[in-house]
Each structure stands twice: as structure tokens, then as C-alpha cells.
Amino acid sequence: MGTARRLILVLIVLIALASSTAYYATQMSLRDGAVRERVMGWLAVGLMSSVCALVLIVIWRSLGKTVQIVRHQLLTLEGSGEVGLIMVDSHDELGQMVQEFNRYLTRIKSRIEQLKLQKRELDIQIRVADAEKRHTEAIIFSISDAVLVTDSFDELVLANESAERTFGFTMSRMYRQPMARIINDSEFVKLVTDTRSENTERRRRVVEYSRQVAGEKRTFNVTLSGVMDAKGECNGVVAVLHDVTREKEVAAMKTDFVSNVSHELRTPLSSIKAYVEMLVDGEAEDETTRREFYDIIQNETDRLGRLIDNILNISRIESGVVKIHKEPLALTSVIKDALEVARPQAVAKRIQLVDELTPVFYQVLADRDMIYQAILNLLSNAIKYTPDGGRVTIRTVVDEGKKTVRTEIKDTGVGIPPEDMPRLFEKFYRVESSKKMAKGTGLGLSLVKHIVETVHAGEVGVFSKVGQGSTFYFQVKLAD
Ligand code: ADP
């Protein structure tokens, strides 16, 4: 039995004793009128009451002390933020209650430990998942293809920079927004939604798709793949857009090139064949006619040779197998040789050829054949793209300070539209608007650039105005 309960029992017994004594004394005094018994009775009551009060104080103090200990420990535990046990040296009801409470606390403590462990594991898993997510994002963001990922509601959940540029939006503002709201192209949105809702076997496909990007028409190969969950349900789509505009252009250019080269080769070849046949058949009766035929055959052979040289030189310079023989030479004399070769072409179009050349003692360290070919290509172009009766001027300007010589070929021709300028020196590139004006392969300027920049570490460029003419220039170092 607990102390408190024992004390309460003693208290009840004492109260009962005191009450019966007082009652007895009162009865006696009433019956006998004895004052002494009444006094004794009241003394007994007083004594018992004092004992009761004392007992109550003892109980109160004992309970108060235990409660104080419990309260103090609870405050300490609260301050430490830990879940701990309450230690009391009491076996009464309060002590038992504290023990029960401690058992309960022990269970809570072990549960908290378990939860802490689980949390630690989850934290690790979250960190690993986060690292993997960032890794995957880094891969997606680093690739040049545009990548878009949607969820099962056709909302955008991921897009890289290239996709933002292609479709003109900012991912941070569009996260989890419906595709249809972000991409103003129902054809593309339909491609994505169809991929998600179609049957499993067709959930990966490649389609060609075109759209205007920064004012230019671009063509893409779009690979659309469904993101499947464990149940085989499609809950999203990954769209990868590979820009094939350039590849398509190159393919078209190559086709153009093959037909142009064949045409360019065939034209002089047919001409040579025809004149040779006429000579063989004796159709050139007099010496003057025969001379004329021989000249034509020679010119056409030269033209053929130049074309083949252009093709071979480009591929040799590009593959780095070309043999370069640099020597000090007077640019002026090389230009004069090129002018003589280009003159018949100019005469045929009544184009005036003008030269303003520096004295021959200015020399450059250059490969003669190559520099000659570059000059001839620029002169030939100037004549080709200048209408009949125009003028082509070639001049050289020496910069003593910079120790450079600049060669300029200026024409009064058709000029070049500004949008074509950046691609002019690319292989096979021809300006659409002047294609009909002259036959060509789009290799000449590419070869000039290679010869000047790759072989001679120089600089090549052009100024042009449509309808007024162009000035092509190249600059190389003077020899020491
Ligand atoms: P092509 O064999 O076609 O002449 P080029 O590489 O020499 O090839 O020149 C590329 C294109 O640049 C030409 O097709 C032409 O459209 C343009 N071009 C070159 N030179 C001139 C020029 N002097 N004036 C106008 N257009 C030019």
C-alpha cells in the first residue's frame, strides 16, 4: 500500500477516534454535568486535530517534494530538447505514476530513434536523388539540341536553354504550365500530346518539324519518346529537337555542287572536243582560223585546269597535305600575270580592267601559285558578277607601319545582299540572286580564304552594296 494511502487511513482512524472521544465526553458531561469530562473531550478533539494537521503537513510536504523533483527534471529535459526519463526515489502512487510515465517515455524515445534513423536514410536518398537530378539536368543543359520534358497532364517540367531559345520562353516562369500555353504552335503541341496518348508501340518516333527561330526558318528532326512508369503507363514525353537546317543546306549544296562541277567540266570539255573535231575534219581552212581554234582550245583547257585546281587545292589545304613553297616575291608581278589571264574574259564583256599597283620592290613571302590562284579567282569573280561595260580595278596599298600589303579588287557589279555576306566564304555557298548571272561552284572564295588565312596567315574581306558593286580585299605581311 502506498504511503499516501496509508497516511489517509491513519488519518481516518484518528478522526474517527477523536470524534467518538469527543462524542463520548459530550454525552458524559450532559448526563453528569461534569465539566471535567467535557474539557477532556475537547482536549482529545484538539489533540486529534493537531495530529491530523501534522499528518496532513507531512503528506503535503512529501508529495510536494516529489512533484518538485518531477517538475525540475521535466524543465531540465525541456531545456535540453531531449526525451529522457524522470528519476524519483519514491514508491508511492506518484512514484508508480512516474514509472508508468517513464515506460511511456521510453517507448516514445525508441520511436523517435527509429524515426531519426528513417529520416537520416531519407535525407541520404534525397541528397543522392538531388545529385542525380542535377547531374541529369547538367547533361540536358549542356547539349545543343533543344530538350523538352512534359508530365502526364502535358505540362512542361523541364526544358534546356536551347529549347527556351527555339520556342521563345523562360523555363523558370513556365514550370508546370500547360504546353499549349507556352508553345504557340498547335502542330508541335499535338506531336507531344499524341505521343503521350498513343499506344505503347508507337511511343518513340522521329518526325521532321520546321519553325521560325529568330526570324529564320529552321528545320528539326524531333525525337519524341514516352516516359513509361512501372505499370506501363505513359506519364510524360521527352522531345529532343535536333537542328538539321545546316545539314539539309549542305546536302542541297553538295547536290548543286555535283551538278555545277559536272556542268563546269563539261562546258570547256565540249568546246575543246568540238574544236578538235573541226581541226581533225579539216574545217579550219586557213592558218588564221586554225590559230583561232588553237587559242580557244588553250583557253578552255586552262579554264578546265583552273576548276580542277580549285577543287584539288581546297581539299588539299583542308586535309593539310598541300606542299607550300614560300618565297619572297613581288605581288605586283603576280597580279600582272593574273590580269593577262583574266583579260580575255573582261574583253568578252567589254569590261575595263584598271590596275593601280605599287612598285615591284615591295615583296611578300608567299607561295606564288597559290597567291596567283587567289588573285585570279577574285578577278574572275569581279568580271563574272559585273554586267557588260562595267569596270574592275585592282590596286595594292602598302602599310609601311604595319608592314602589310593590301590588295583590293573593286568592281561596278551587282553587289551582294547583306544577309549573304556572313556565309560568302563558305564552301559551295552561292548568292541566290546572282546564281543566274554566271555559272560557278561556290568554291572560289572558300579557296581564297584558305590560301590567304590558312596558308599566309593573312586576312580576307569584302565590302559591297547591292546594285553598286563590291570590293574584295586581302592583306598579307610584307617580306623582311
Ligand atoms: P562561284 O563559283 O559561284 O563564283 P565563289 O566562291 O567564287 O563561287 O563565290 C561565291 C558567291 O559569291 C558567288 O556565287 C557570287 O554569288 C558571290 N560573289 C563572289 N564574288 C562576287 C562579286 N565580285 N560580286 C558579286 N557577287 C560575288
Side-chain angles (χ1 to χ4, degrees):
M1 192 187 292
T3 319
R5 214 177 286 173
R6 268 201 305 272
L7 283 171
I8 288 164
L9 207 66
V10 170
L11 211 63
I12 292 166
V13 171
L14 283 173
I15 289 168
L17 260 165
S19 308
S20 53
T21 312
Y23 178 74
Y24 172 74
T26 311
Q27 289 299 312
M28 290 296 281
S29 66
L30 284 177
R31 200 181 67 205
D32 306 332
V35 174
R36 202 169 59 94
E37 278 77 4
R38 202 187 304 169
V39 170
M40 284 238 329
W42 284 114
L43 270 174
V45 171
L47 188 71
M48 293 306 159
S49 304
S50 306
V51 171
C52 284
L54 211 67
V55 169
L56 271 174
I57 289 168
V58 169
I59 294 170
W60 179 254
R61 286 200 60 181
S62 150
L63 281 173
K65 206 169 153 198
T66 313
V67 168
Q68 195 65 28
I69 291 169
V70 171
R71 192 166 163 260
H72 177 72
Q73 290 189 30
L74 280 173
L75 283 174
T76 314
L77 283 174
E78 192 192 352
S80 73
E82 293 287 321
V83 176
L85 299 184
I86 312 285
M87 309 306 280
V88 284
D89 193 16
S90 157
H91 302 286
D92 56 11
E93 284 83 353
L94 194 62
Q96 284 168 8
M97 195 184 83
V98 169
Q99 271 170 17
E100 284 300 326
F101 187 58
N102 275 346
R103 267 197 288 280
Y104 179 63
L105 281 179
T106 311
R107 280 209 302 280
I108 290 181
K109 203 173 167 186
S110 84
R111 185 81 190 108
I112 287 175
E113 288 305 322
Q114 273 177 6
L115 288 174
K116 272 188 185 166
L117 267 175
Q118 283 176 5
K119 183 181 173 287
R120 214 168 302 152
E121 270 174 30
L122 283 174
D123 279 349
I124 293 169
Q125 282 176 16
I126 287 171
R127 271 208 294 275
V128 170
D130 202 42
E132 278 173 3
K133 184 175 169 256
R134 264 176 300 165
H135 188 231
T136 313
E137 278 178 359
I139 294 170
I140 290 173
F141 285 114
S142 68
I143 57 178
S144 56
D145 288 351
V147 181
L148 294 153
V149 184
T150 58
D151 61 12
S152 48
F153 304 105
D154 298 324
E155 293 166 342
L156 193 65
V157 287
L158 190 84
N160 65 1
E161 228 183 300
S162 177
E164 291 179 325
R165 249 182 288 119
T166 306
F167 292 101
F169 67 90
T170 312
M171 183 60 202
S172 53
R173 281 200 233 124
M174 293 300 172
Y175 181 69
R176 288 216 181 272
Q177 293 291 317
M179 279 280 281
R181 196 181 300 164
I182 302 165
I183 292 163
N184 61 345
D185 184 344
S186 53
E187 184 199 340
F188 186 80
V189 174
K190 193 171 177 311
L191 282 176
V192 175
T193 48
D194 284 356
T195 307
R196 186 186 49 74
S197 54
E198 268 169 14
N199 290 332
T200 337
E201 61 269 20
R202 286 207 55 211
R203 277 193 186 141
R204 189 193 154 90
R205 57 191 178 142
V206 181
V207 287
E208 197 175 292
Y209 164 74
S210 297
R211 77 176 269 115
Q212 290 284 120
V213 179
E216 245 182 72
K217 190 188 169 201
R218 314 290 306 175
T219 307
F220 301 91
N221 269 353
V222 187
T223 306
L224 294 143
S225 324
V227 181
M228 315 305 281
D229 65 12
K231 287 186 225 148
E233 296 283 318
C234 180
N235 55 19
V237 172
V238 177
V240 181
L241 288 88
H242 179 63
D243 192 334
V244 289
T245 318
R246 184 81 189 110
E247 286 162 36
K248 281 186 151 286
E249 277 172 6
V250 169
M253 277 181 194
K254 279 186 179 161
T255 318
D256 261 15
F257 170 70
V258 172
S259 79
N260 280 338
V261 165
S262 324
H263 184 86
E264 286 279 293
L265 290 173
R266 181 156 297 157
T267 315
L269 211 60
S270 322
S271 172
I272 293 166
K273 194 168 174 253
Y275 283 99
V276 168
E277 272 171 13
M278 281 194 273
L279 284 170
V280 171
D281 296 346
E283 282 179 36
E285 284 158 6
D286 54 276
E287 189 52 33
T288 325
T289 320
R290 270 199 294 280
R291 194 79 311 228
E292 201 183 305
F293 283 12
Y294 291 144
D295 282 350
I296 293 170
I297 292 170
Q298 193 177 11
N299 279 341
E300 293 299 295
T301 319
D302 286 350
R303 193 172 140 199
L304 207 57
R306 276 204 302 277
L307 180 71
I308 293 167
D309 282 353
N310 272 358
I311 299 169
L312 285 179
N313 281 336
I314 285 192
S315 74
R316 280 193 201 130
I317 295 174
E318 278 188 343
S319 59
V321 295
V322 68
K323 284 202 181 83
I324 301 159
H325 305 285
K326 282 192 191 167
E327 54 184 335
L329 52 94
L331 210 49
T332 298
S333 73
V334 184
I335 292 173
K336 285 205 163 133
D337 288 351
L339 273 170
E340 282 328 298
V341 173
R343 202 170 297 281
Q345 195 189 347
V347 171
K349 289 177 81 178
R350 289 181 292 104
I351 287 172
Q352 191 190 350
L353 272 185
V354 182
D355 62 287
E356 297 167 10
L357 305 173
T358 43
V360 281
F361 58 78
Y362 284 112
Q363 297 205 316
V364 292
L365 192 65
D367 183 304
R368 196 185 189 287
D369 289 348
M370 288 204 185
I371 227 74
Y372 167 83
Q373 186 144 34
I375 296 165
L376 194 60
N377 277 350
L378 293 176
L379 269 175
S380 163
N381 275 353
I383 299 167
K384 268 186 351 186
Y385 300 104
T386 297
D388 289 13
R391 191 174 64 250
V392 172
T393 311
I394 181 160
R395 64 192 282 253
T396 44
V397 185
V398 170
D399 185 331
E400 299 265 13
K402 287 190 194 158
K403 292 201 170 303
T404 55
V405 57
R406 183 181 166 103
T407 307
E408 292 175 0
I409 295 104
K410 186 174 179 215
D411 63 55
T412 54
V414 286
I416 299 152
E419 61 271 21
D420 290 293
M421 297 287 261
R423 303 193 50 197
L424 212 57
F425 291 89
E426 283 180 21
K427 227 181 335 176
F428 310 131
Y429 192 77
R430 303 198 72 215
V431 176
E432 200 59 47
S433 53
S434 53
K435 258 185 188 169
K436 285 198 192 93
M437 196 165 176
K439 296 234 161 1
T441 53
L443 285 176
L445 289 182
S446 166
L447 182 60
V448 171
K449 193 174 169 71
H450 272 309
I451 290 173
V452 173
E453 294 186 352
T454 316
V455 180
H456 292 95
E459 192 192 321
V460 66
V462 57
F463 304 103
S464 188
K465 221 163 190 179
V466 175
Q468 290 185 18
S470 315
T471 302
F472 280 84
Y473 68 86
F474 72 89
Q475 189 168 288
V476 285
K477 281 247 172 255
L478 278 172
D480 287 334

